[in-house]
Amino acid sequence: MRYWCERAWLDSSGPQPGVLIEIAGDRIVGVSSDEPRPLDAYRLAGLVVPGFANVHSHAFHRALRGRTHGDGGTFWTWRTRMYELAGKLDPTGYLELARAVYGEMALAGFTCVGEFHYLHHGPGGVRYSDPNAMAEALRQAAADAGIRLTLLDTCYLAGGIDTPLSPEQQRFSDGSAESWSERVAALRSDGTMRVGAAIHSVRAVPRADLSTVAAFDGPLHAHLSEQPAENEACLAAFGCTPTELLAKAGALSDRTTAVHATHLSTRDIELLGSARVGACLCPTTEADLADGIGPARELADAGCPISLGSDQHAVVDPFAEARALEHGERLRTGRRGRFTPAELGVALASAGHASLGWPEPHLDLVAVRLDSERTAGCAPDQVLLAATASDIHTVVVGGKVIVKDGRHERLGDVGRLLDDVIGRLWG
Ligand SMILES: [Zn+2]
């Protein structure tokens, strides 16, 4: 099998016509352009780009979409609704929901997802007979949907700084950082799933336990300064910002990704940049939850690779995230072109894969239609600023076609799957 692309944009040379991709197993071994289509090659129409990485996901939050706007509310009232939902999930229900959510991601062109996983145990914190039953549900869900998963197993021990867990939060906790560490050590990587670690936030992991989580050998993610209240609590308790606290705990390095990084000081940006910490912004979620607009350009200029995530999945659309990143910058600064289309492409692909511990090149390809009512007439090198998830025609993961003509090859009608499982959850 080899692929022939009408147009492909696979490296810094920009979109090229007639690109022939030679493969061996699930790896790309040769790329050449201006080639006529060989009769034995699989044809990919439109613009072919590397598969997208959704660096920050809480799969179960998808069930909140379109259900939290009735009375306005705040980030904190949204969180109460999220806890209500979390209380309804068991491993079977979680598999069904996550399979459908990862199916939606595949349709949108995401070939890899970072699942920030803290829904570990049963209600009240009771352990399942397999303490990793919820993680195994996510592994199976990703395998069924045909996408790669980095399970960012999340340490979550406290309800806030010097605040005990609420009853709803009990099931997120392992009781101690050592117990978290032992449970995570039992998780195995395979062809679908790699294992990483996460500090939920400086709210949820006590200061003395940060270094235990940071010692995990692999990708390390942390929610960072999403809300001003987190900064205020941290300053009041420790006299430093959340970024400074993570730095003191040895949690900032080039395998760390700071998620959100919305409310940062100049010093915070210097610390993150000098440690080459990645910054995963989640612009549609940050808009939906009224978090604010983070200093993305300043972070990039300081040395932080920028990646993107759909987080609570109010929207699952890589183009919407990339556009919202650039639009936030425009609204914040009154200037256009803060990120070039090529930089947005890097944020969606190689920077995201590196953050999730899949840095090596994989045969993950996405074909974006250039003939839809949204993309017709666009210059191919600017289509990221115009397309939507509906313009994904074909998705290839590890050399397998998982989406063809906008339809999931294995899961079929993903909208119906989502409707069924979310309908059952809310009754
Ligand atoms: Zn999150």
Side-chain angles (χ1 to χ4, degrees):
M1 169 78 91
R2 46 190 177 159
Y3 294 90
W4 180 82
C5 315
E6 275 185 350
R7 281 192 185 79
W9 186 358
L10 300 176
D11 57 28
S12 57
S13 55
Q16 302 291 322
V19 174
L20 186 63
I21 301 174
E22 303 279 359
I23 66 175
D26 63 354
R27 297 294 171 94
I28 297 174
V29 293
V31 176
S32 52
S33 57
D34 288 317
E35 299 275 359
R37 181 188 170 197
L39 288 176
D40 66 337
Y42 189 101
R43 177 176 176 270
L44 294 169
L47 177 69
V48 174
V49 294
F52 301 130
N54 193 353
V55 172
H56 190 64
S57 162
H58 307 281
F60 74 94
H61 293 188
R62 172 64 181 82
L64 294 166
R65 185 187 298 176
R67 289 176 176 267
T68 63
H69 305 279
D71 57 357
T74 65
F75 173 89
W76 306 103
T77 59
W78 171 88
R79 194 177 70 159
T80 301
R81 186 88 164 133
M82 184 267 282
Y83 288 165
E84 185 189 342
L85 170 65
K88 296 172 184 285
L89 287 162
D90 62 13
T92 304
Y94 204 18
L95 168 59
E96 290 173 351
L97 177 58
R99 178 195 287 136
V101 175
Y102 294 160
E104 182 183 1
M105 288 184 197
L107 289 171
F110 288 118
T111 60
C112 188
V113 58
E115 182 67 31
F116 200 100
H117 169 55
Y118 57 85
L119 193 52
H120 305 126
H121 305 298
V126 176
R127 292 198 159 212
Y128 293 111
S129 53
D130 172 1
N132 282 315
M134 295 296 257
E136 293 302 329
L138 292 164
R139 183 202 302 272
Q140 187 63 48
D144 292 348
I147 67 174
R148 303 176 197 279
L149 167 70
T150 296
L151 187 91
L152 298 158
D153 202 298
T154 304
C155 189
Y156 193 130
L157 301 172
I161 295 171
D162 294 327
T163 306
L165 295 162
S166 69
E168 303 94 328
Q169 293 166 334
Q170 296 284 348
R171 64 183 305 189
F172 308 156
S173 174
D174 288 283
S176 70
E178 290 69 32
S179 297
W180 167 86
S181 198
E182 279 169 31
R183 183 178 53 72
V184 175
L187 285 164
R188 292 283 164 261
S189 294
D190 62 20
T192 296
M193 184 175 103
R194 292 184 179 172
V195 181
I199 293 165
H200 179 276
S201 58
V202 298
R203 289 177 277 127
V205 179
R207 178 181 200 169
D209 294 316
L210 292 169
S211 58
T212 302
V213 188
F216 183 86
D217 182 19
L220 175 68
H221 287 217
H223 288 136
L224 184 67
S225 294
E226 179 177 7
Q227 288 279 329
E230 175 179 306
N231 289 2
E232 290 156 16
C234 191
L235 281 162
F238 307 122
C240 65
T241 66
T243 300
E244 290 166 349
L245 193 66
L246 291 180
K248 287 177 192 170
L252 300 185
S253 77
D254 61 1
R255 59 184 180 81
T256 309
T257 297
V259 179
H260 302 301
T262 309
H263 300 281
L264 300 180
S265 69
T266 304
R267 173 74 183 137
D268 291 342
I269 294 170
E270 286 169 6
L271 280 170
L272 295 168
S274 62
R276 295 291 178 266
V277 170
C280 174
L281 280 81
C282 306
T284 66
T285 289
E286 288 145 13
D288 184 80
L289 295 179
D291 289 338
I293 301 172
R297 186 69 250 176
E298 288 85 343
L299 284 163
D301 290 343
C304 297
I306 304 292
S307 57
L308 291 160
S310 62
D311 191 1
Q312 58 141 335
H313 313 313
V315 178
V316 171
D317 185 332
F319 306 105
E321 297 301 338
R323 263 199 300 282
L325 176 72
E326 168 63 14
H327 287 174
E329 284 291 309
R330 293 183 187 188
L331 292 166
R332 188 171 72 87
T333 65
R335 279 180 281 158
R336 302 181 88 221
R338 299 277 287 172
F339 288 94
T340 65
E343 286 177 311
L344 296 175
V346 168
L348 282 173
S350 57
H353 292 123
S355 164
L356 294 177
W358 299 86
E360 68 277 30
H362 286 278
L363 183 45
D364 292 2
L365 302 170
V366 173
V368 185
R369 289 178 56 166
L370 296 176
D371 61 352
S372 76
E373 59 272 36
R374 289 166 295 276
T375 58
C378 292
D381 65 347
Q382 297 184 26
V383 77
L384 281 179
L385 276 302
T388 73
S390 300
D391 298 311
I392 300 298
H393 183 281
T394 305
V395 179
V396 177
V397 183
K400 293 195 187 81
V401 176
I402 60 162
V403 172
K404 192 173 172 183
D405 201 10
R407 184 176 171 82
H408 201 289
E409 289 276 272
R410 287 186 220 162
L411 299 181
D413 187 344
V414 172
R416 177 154 186 187
L417 288 179
L418 285 163
D419 196 46
D420 284 352
V421 65
I422 294 171
R424 263 183 276 129
L425 276 172
W426 291 114

